[in-house]
Amino acid sequence: GALKFESKAVESNVISSDFSADSKRLFLGISGGLVFVYDCVTGEKIREFRAHSGAVLTLRTSPDGKTFLTTSSESVAALWDANTYEQLALFKGHNGFVNDARLQPNGNRIMTMGFDNTVRIWDYHGNKLVTIAVEKENLTYAAWSPSGNRIATATAEGTIHIYDSIPPAELNQKPGENLADAVTAWRAARRATE
C-alpha cells in the first residue's frame, strides 16, 4: 500500500503501539514513560502525556475505543480514558517490570503479566482479584481466550498452562465481603466438586 504519512517527531525509542478501535489515532508508548497520540489522517501529534516514570512497555487499546492500557518498567499498569487521556485505575502489585496487560474480551477484567512470573487479574478499579504464580519457569506469554473464560500462559521452557477464569455469576461475593476472601471461597468450593 501507499505510505499515508511519515513522522520523525519521535525522539525517543518507541517500545509499544496500537491503533484506536476506529483506526483514526495511533498510540505510541515511549521509553521515557510518555504516550504520544497521532492523528492517522493528518499525521499530526494530537496529544503527549506522561503515563509512567519508567518505559511504557505495552500499550493496548480496547475494542470499544473507550479505554487503553499501559504497562511499565516501574512495576505498575494503568487504565486510561481514550478520549480525555485521564488515568482511570492503577494496577499495583507486581515485583518488577509489568510486561503485558490485556482487557478481558466482552468482560470487565484486566490481566497483567510481570517479570515476577505472575499473572494477575484485576477489576476495572484496580482491585486485584486473582494471582496466578508460575513457579520454577520463566513466564513469557499470557492471553485470554476469545470468550474470556480461560487464560493461557506459556513459559520460556515450553510449558503451556490453561486456567479457568472466575465466572462473575459464580463468585457470589457477599455485601461487605473482602474480594480476596470471596475468591478463596469460590476456589475451595470448586475444588470440592472436582
Side-chain angles (χ1 to χ4, degrees):
L3 178 65
K4 182 71 175 171
F5 74 86
E6 181 176 338
S7 174
K8 301 275 188 199
V10 179
E11 296 175 5
S12 298
N13 292 336
V14 175
I15 297 176
S16 56
S17 65
D18 203 2
F19 282 99
S20 60
D22 60 8
S23 298
K24 292 181 180 178
R25 293 176 292 165
L26 177 65
F27 292 76
L28 302 176
I30 307 298
S31 61
L34 298 173
V35 169
F36 294 167
V37 184
Y38 282 86
D39 183 302
C40 291
V41 175
T42 66
E44 297 294 317
K45 186 191 309 181
I46 55 176
R47 190 66 179 230
E48 175 181 330
F49 67 95
R50 178 160 302 284
H52 301 283
S53 61
V56 178
L57 301 177
T58 304
L59 194 151
R60 295 197 188 275
T61 59
S62 64
D64 65 8
K66 295 179 181 177
T67 59
F68 65 96
L69 289 166
T70 58
T71 70
S72 80
S73 60
E74 61 183 344
S75 305
V76 298
L79 180 67
W80 303 88
D81 184 297
N83 295 309
T84 66
Y85 308 105
E86 292 180 21
Q87 188 180 89
L88 301 174
L90 190 64
F91 308 98
K92 297 180 181 180
H94 284 283
N95 297 313
F97 292 4
V98 181
N99 305 2
D100 201 359
R102 296 174 184 261
L103 297 154
Q104 183 183 33
N106 302 322
N108 57 359
R109 300 220 167 91
I110 292 165
M111 172 176 45
T112 58
M113 182 185 79
F115 266 18
D116 58 0
N117 281 336
T118 64
V119 172
R120 297 169 192 254
I121 310 301
W122 313 80
D123 67 17
Y124 270 44
H125 304 289
N127 299 307
K128 184 174 59 173
L129 305 176
V130 176
T131 299
I132 300 168
V134 176
E135 297 180 15
K136 300 179 183 175
E137 293 191 14
N138 297 300
L139 187 61
T140 57
Y141 184 78
W144 292 105
S145 65
S147 66
N149 292 333
R150 293 198 171 112
I151 296 165
T153 63
T155 69
E157 295 77 14
T159 304
I160 297 170
H161 298 99
I162 297 177
Y163 304 90
D164 287 332
S165 63
I166 300 172
E170 294 179 21
L171 187 56
N172 295 326
Q173 183 181 5
K174 297 169 185 66
E177 182 181 21
N178 178 307
L179 188 54
D181 293 340
V183 169
T184 300
W186 177 82
R187 284 182 175 162
R190 184 153 184 182
R191 280 189 209 111
T193 62
E194 291 178 349

